[in-house]
Amino acid sequence: MILTEQYTIPGAKGRPITADLTYDDLSPTAPLVIFAHGIRGFKDWGAHHLVARYFAENGFRFLKFNFSHNGTTPEHITEFADLIAFGDNTFSVELDDLKNVIDFACSGSAIPAADGVYLIGHSMGGGISIIKTAEDSRVKKLVTMAAISSFYNLWPKQAEEQWRLQGVMYMKNARTGQDMPYRVTLLEDLEKNPARLDIPRKAGEITQPWLIIHGDKDTSVPLAHGRELQQAQPRAEFVVIHNADHVFNATHPYLQDTLPEPLQQCADAAIAFFNISK
């Protein structure tokens, strides 16, 4: 039987990380996959629950989580109910969160300990996952989905001067209509940690197997980002999913009981990649 269990993990700056683990109860020690969502994303967005179940049906445990400062709360896990926390988020905060999640997976404190993990990162979570993979040998394999090749691509360059003056910049969430606050501390984090937060540089340091997946109809993070990542790490495999947008044709809410075809292709490619000499 496929089960899903809920957990709370300590996150950066004392904020909680909400997480859930989906697995087959006949395989409680199966290889463990950790999924890192993107900016303005969350663990229960769209079809993520179906992806988790599909991995569990194919021999893996699947752990997905909310970054501590993604704007959701334990009481409102699918809503951006805490925009103050969202505005306080930085890339270094997310790296701390991901370390805590890997610690949780490998410690055996609440779930059977994983002997290393497989990591999947989407969009900005892909950039975070690239850096963490370069830094942490517990990551055995990496899959990035529609990953950014630079954090600077998350906002228009011409906005930076005004951003510095005002201390905060707002960008509208097209789905919810909310004006999402981005404090200038996000930009300052990049400037204070230029080597660590240089995604192409970190991509070049990765020694673990890496699969880059990108959709050819992605207008949020164009296909060129995936090609830049492969140029930075030529040993990485590169798969282009045709007719796939940034979220591989899923939506939120997602009311179907089967994955959209591009996301199904993405999941199958990741599973095949993880299964090679696992």
Side-chain angles (χ1 to χ4, degrees), residues 121-124 126-127 130 144-149 213-214 221 225-226 229:
H122 175 250
S123 193
M124 190 175 100
I130 289 166
T144 52
M145 300 166 52
I148 58 174
S149 58
I213 304 177
H214 220 104
V221 180
H225 286 243
L229 292 174

Side-chain angles (χ1 to χ4, degrees), residues 15-248:
R15 293 189 58 82
I17 295 169
T18 54
D20 58 63
L21 179 70
T22 301
Y23 66 100
D24 189 326
D25 64 351
L26 296 178
S27 303
T29 61
L32 193 141
V33 176
I34 294 174
F35 174 75
H37 65 74
I39 194 167
R40 297 187 299 277
F42 43 90
K43 70 180 181 67
D44 297 298
W45 189 94
H48 291 342
H49 63 295
L50 294 180
V51 172
R53 184 177 184 88
Y54 188 68
F55 270 79
E57 291 170 343
N58 283 274
F60 296 88
R61 291 180 287 167
F62 196 93
L63 179 65
K64 52 188 176 73
F65 68 98
N66 284 329
F67 283 103
S68 64
H69 287 66
N70 77 332
T72 65
T73 67
E75 297 77 25
H76 302 280
I77 59 173
T78 63
E79 301 172 24
F80 297 120
D82 191 345
L83 293 183
I84 294 176
F86 183 92
D88 287 339
N89 197 22
T90 68
F91 310 112
S92 294
V93 161
E94 294 209 347
L95 285 166
D96 287 346
D97 282 344
L98 186 50
K99 176 186 180 300
N100 288 359
V101 172
I102 295 173
D103 289 347
F104 171 83
C106 295
S107 69
S109 59
I111 63 175
D115 180 20
V117 301
Y118 299 137
L119 188 55
I120 299 177
H122 175 250
S123 193
M124 190 175 100
I128 295 295
S129 297
I130 289 166
I131 295 170
K132 182 50 63 180
T133 300
E135 294 180 343
D136 197 327
S137 62
R138 294 176 297 177
V139 179
K140 297 194 294 184
K141 291 185 179 183
L142 169 67
V143 171
T144 52
M145 300 166 52
I148 58 174
S149 58
S150 170
F151 292 122
Y152 284 101
N153 290 324
L154 293 170
W155 55 77
K157 177 68 176 177
Q158 62 271 22
E160 289 183 7
E161 182 177 357
Q162 189 69 18
W163 192 8
R164 294 181 197 276
L165 290 173
Q166 294 183 336
V168 64
M169 173 175 60
Y170 293 90
M171 288 191 276
K172 189 171 290 293
N173 184 322
R175 181 179 63 83
T176 68
Q178 291 169 289
D179 290 321
M180 310 294 285
Y182 297 78
R183 291 184 59 192
V184 74
T185 46
L186 189 69
L187 178 59
E188 291 170 347
D189 187 33
L190 281 177
E191 296 170 341
K192 291 175 182 177
N193 302 283
R196 187 187 191 198
L197 299 179
D198 183 333
I199 295 174
R201 174 176 176 168
K202 288 297 183 178
E205 296 175 4
I206 288 177
T207 58
Q208 301 96 316
W210 177 13
L211 174 63
I212 300 167
I213 304 177
H214 220 104
D216 64 354
K217 303 298 184 184
D218 190 338
T219 57
S220 299
V221 180
L223 183 59
H225 286 243
R227 301 201 185 282
E228 289 171 7
L229 292 174
Q230 191 186 39
Q231 289 173 2
Q233 181 46 269
R235 291 191 301 274
E237 299 180 36
F238 191 26
V239 170
V240 177
I241 306 294
H242 297 290
N243 298 314
D245 62 15
H246 184 58
V247 289
F248 299 89

